[in-house]
């Protein structure tokens, strides 16, 4: 699975992207966020409040219950505001 991080999520994680093996028990975006929060102190800081994270699975906006699979590309970013 390819993970992409944007804006302050990237700053906290310390990476723009990474490839991971998807754990068998992770089935959706919410489960992926919970798993990522355990990977490092930077990941923990970035994913400490899941309500402050938005995701896209294969370039489509995704809700927390969106299914994820091993070959997916998942991007994480802060909420977008208009102006």
């Amino acid at each position: 699975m390819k993970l992409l991080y944007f804006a302050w999520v990237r700053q906290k994680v310390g990476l723009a992207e990474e490839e991971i093996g998807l754990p068998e028990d992770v089935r959706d975006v919410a489960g992926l966020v919970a798993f990522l929060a355990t990977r490092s102190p930077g990941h923990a800081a970035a994913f400490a409040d899941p309500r402050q994270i938005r995701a896209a699975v294969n370039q489509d906006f995704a809700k927390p219950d969106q299914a994820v699979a091993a070959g997916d590309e998942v991007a994480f970013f802060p909420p977008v505001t208009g102006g």
Side-chain angles (χ1 to χ4, degrees), residues 54-67:
R54 298 297 179 264
V57 176
N58 299 321
Q59 301 181 5
D60 288 323
F61 285 108
K63 293 185 177 186
D65 62 353
Q66 169 72 42

Side-chain angles (χ1 to χ4, degrees), residues 1 4 9 11 14-15 17 27 30 32 35 37-39 41 43-44 50 53 55 58-60 64 67 69 74 76:
M1 170 175 282
L4 305 172
V9 180
Q11 292 172 340
L15 300 168
E17 62 182 67
R27 293 182 173 82
L32 181 58
F35 166 73
T38 69
R39 289 183 50 89
H43 286 84
I53 297 286
N58 299 321
Q59 301 181 5
D60 288 323
V74 183
F76 293 102

Side-chain angles (χ1 to χ4, degrees), residues 10-27:
R10 177 185 345 193
Q11 292 172 340
K12 290 182 180 188
V13 170
L15 300 168
E17 62 182 67
E18 65 180 323
E19 297 267 345
I20 66 163
L22 185 65
E24 289 184 21
D25 61 333
V26 174
R27 293 182 173 82

